[in-house]
Amino acid sequence: MKKIAILASGSGSNAENIIRFFKDHASICVDSVWSNRKEAFVLERAEHLNVEAHHFSKAELADTDRLLEEFRKREIDLIVLAGFLLLLPQKFVHEFQVVNIHPALLPAYGGKGMYGSYVHEAVIANKETESGITIHLVDEVYDHGKTLFQAKCPIVAADTPQSLAMKIHELEMEHFPRTIEALLLGSA
Ligand code: GAR
């Protein structure tokens, strides 16, 4: 069985979708969910779906090897960042394969501070005619690793950051689990 560890900071709709997708999968499972925010809804979602849910502090992530050791012990094959808002220390990228989802067409609208609704607000403010999602491997540079998959959606004049967020959400639900599956099965 290939094992996934999910890191998330917020609501966790992607984490939940990934957990459900791999629930009865023949060769891939979600081992655990990890959040830097104790009150993040993602932890409740995971528990509700009978997946281990853990909290860690920002200092633990940066200054200790607790998480690294947990992932080694659990023999994690892939770390999935699903709305994870801290910078992942390089030691993780050196030892594990890490994949991230970004709610825009990288390299546009990437980098520090570009997450969640801030991305959609910037895209709408610039009157872009399309946006989308980017699923990419994580390397040492923020929002920079190899792109595995992109999908686009059109933006019309009536769109708001909220309506764009809904279009992006649909793309994420459709494509993130499948891209993870292809990566782990060696076909991405
Ligand atoms: C998702 O839209 C994801 O693409 C974005 O955070 C949201 C998390 O939603 N990630 C980033 O902006 C990373 N830079 P969720 O908690 O409901 O899955």
Side-chain angles (χ1 to χ4, degrees):
M1 231 355 154
K2 301 253 187 196
K3 290 185 189 173
I4 295 171
I6 299 177
L7 266 61
S9 303
S11 159
S13 67
N14 278 283
E16 174 163 352
N17 186 44
I18 293 163
I19 291 169
R20 289 188 186 280
F21 184 90
F22 289 110
K23 191 169 170 284
D24 297 315
H25 198 282
S27 56
I28 299 170
C29 69
V30 175
D31 170 83
S32 45
V33 171
W34 302 77
S35 183
N36 58 303
R37 287 182 53 232
K38 240 191 209 114
E39 71 284 7
F41 189 49
V42 66
L43 293 176
E44 267 180 58
R45 290 193 200 246
E47 277 168 11
H48 187 69
L49 294 163
N50 294 317
V51 170
E52 273 187 46
H54 300 274
H55 167 257
F56 59 91
S57 69
K58 192 175 173 181
E60 260 180 318
L61 181 73
D63 305 333
T64 77
D65 283 341
R66 180 189 154 217
L67 252 69
L68 215 52
E69 279 163 11
E70 282 282 359
F71 294 165
R72 278 182 202 137
K73 190 179 78 190
R74 292 161 182 268
E75 300 183 330
I76 295 299
D77 295 284
L78 180 68
I79 298 172
V80 172
L81 308 186
F84 183 62
L85 302 183
L86 298 179
L87 188 63
L88 193 67
Q90 294 196 4
K91 58 192 176 188
F92 288 88
V93 179
H94 293 154
E95 196 170 326
F96 293 93
Q97 190 163 45
V98 186
V99 66
N100 181 43
I101 189 157
H102 187 78
L105 297 169
L106 290 175
Y109 300 99
K112 213 167 157 44
M114 275 294 167
Y115 60 87
S117 57
Y118 295 111
V119 177
H120 309 313
E121 282 162 20
V123 168
I124 294 287
N126 284 346
K127 302 198 185 319
E128 299 287 355
T129 54
E130 63 180 18
S131 189
I133 60 169
T134 303
I135 299 167
H136 66 94
L137 294 177
V138 175
D139 64 10
E140 289 90 344
V141 183
Y142 218 84
D143 287 340
H144 168 269
K146 180 187 168 197
T147 293
L148 299 174
F149 180 88
Q150 284 189 315
K152 292 179 182 177
C153 59
I155 300 175
V156 296
D159 269 322
T160 62
Q162 291 72 26
S163 67
L164 175 57
M166 284 167 65
K167 293 181 185 180
I168 297 291
H169 179 78
E170 272 180 36
L171 292 178
E172 293 187 335
M173 294 299 108
E174 188 180 347
H175 297 292
F176 200 15
R178 289 176 203 287
T179 305
I180 292 168
E181 183 184 40
L183 179 64
L184 279 171
L185 297 183
S187 48

